[in-house]
Amino acid sequence: MTPYDHMQRASRVKVMIFDVDGVLTDGSLTYGADGEITKTFFVLDGLGIQLLQKTGVQTAIISARQSPIVVRRAADLGINHVYQGIHDKRVAFAKLLDATGATIEQCGYIGDDVIDLPLLMKVGFAVTVPSGHPDVQHRAHYVTKAPGGRGAVREVCDMVMRAQGTYEKALAPYFG
């Protein structure tokens, strides 16, 4: 796939969907003595999501795992569409399409493992991370340079904004 292909696909994105473990985080799960699981999120990814939203692109999370930490992070970032604990991600995707009115071709998805393949093989812009499963990497339209949980999401958000011609406007408030 040429750079033009993935930029053309990114230009059509109206809804960008994120997996959590391995994408919004580095994939590590830390269990505390009381059984609590903690996750670490990367601040640059968060600002990328917020900037993307300001350009009119809707954002969503679809995760097979259920976590109150994800609900908190989504609320902090203003992500209104959060689907968790759904192992068949196609079910959540159908609900998201109904909620947003977007078409399959207008959706982007970033995931890293085979559980993500049903969505990655449907959406108009399929993305994975460098540590993504080889079967996922072979089917993605784009593999990020940055790792999951360490800038991959920001890379994709910036790419979508650049492809849609909204990047400079989104960053303008920071340049004075």
Side-chain angles (χ1 to χ4, degrees):
M1 178 155 305
T2 67
Y4 174 76
D5 292 333
H6 68 259
M7 290 300 282
Q8 184 178 33
R9 289 176 177 278
S11 73
R12 295 189 292 258
V13 171
K14 301 291 182 214
V15 179
M16 191 67 216
I17 310 159
F18 307 98
D19 180 30
V20 176
D21 298 320
V23 172
L24 284 170
T25 74
D26 68 4
S28 300
L29 298 175
T30 305
Y31 289 84
D34 60 357
E36 180 182 346
I37 299 174
T38 62
K39 299 175 187 280
T40 301
F41 299 95
F42 194 53
V43 70
L44 292 178
D45 289 342
L47 183 57
I49 290 170
Q50 291 176 318
L51 291 170
L52 186 62
Q53 291 167 334
K54 288 180 181 178
T55 69
V57 174
Q58 296 184 66
T59 56
I61 290 174
I62 297 178
S63 178
R65 188 178 301 274
Q66 183 78 35
S67 171
I69 297 164
V70 172
V71 173
R72 171 70 190 271
R73 182 65 173 155
D76 288 348
L77 297 176
I79 299 172
N80 296 322
H81 306 286
V82 179
Y83 303 90
Q84 292 193 90
I86 302 173
H87 291 277
D88 184 348
K89 293 186 176 190
R90 292 172 291 198
V91 173
F93 185 57
K95 291 179 182 179
L96 178 64
L97 291 175
D98 285 343
T100 62
T103 66
I104 291 170
E105 295 79 22
Q106 293 173 324
C107 291
Y109 182 74
I110 179 170
D112 67 326
D113 211 341
V114 295
I115 193 171
D116 300 307
L117 284 174
L119 295 192
L120 287 166
M121 291 171 37
K122 275 188 159 191
V123 298
F125 183 44
V127 182
T128 192
V129 295
S131 64
H133 189 279
D135 286 327
V136 173
Q137 289 192 6
H138 292 312
R139 288 167 176 83
H141 302 124
Y142 182 75
V143 179
T144 64
K145 292 169 185 51
R150 301 299 294 167
V153 167
R154 180 59 174 270
E155 183 179 332
V156 170
C157 291
D158 287 355
M159 180 182 295
V160 170
M161 289 185 289
R162 282 189 174 106
Q164 296 181 0
T166 59
Y167 181 79
E168 296 299 327
K169 185 176 179 183
L171 271 61
Y174 304 103
F175 293 116

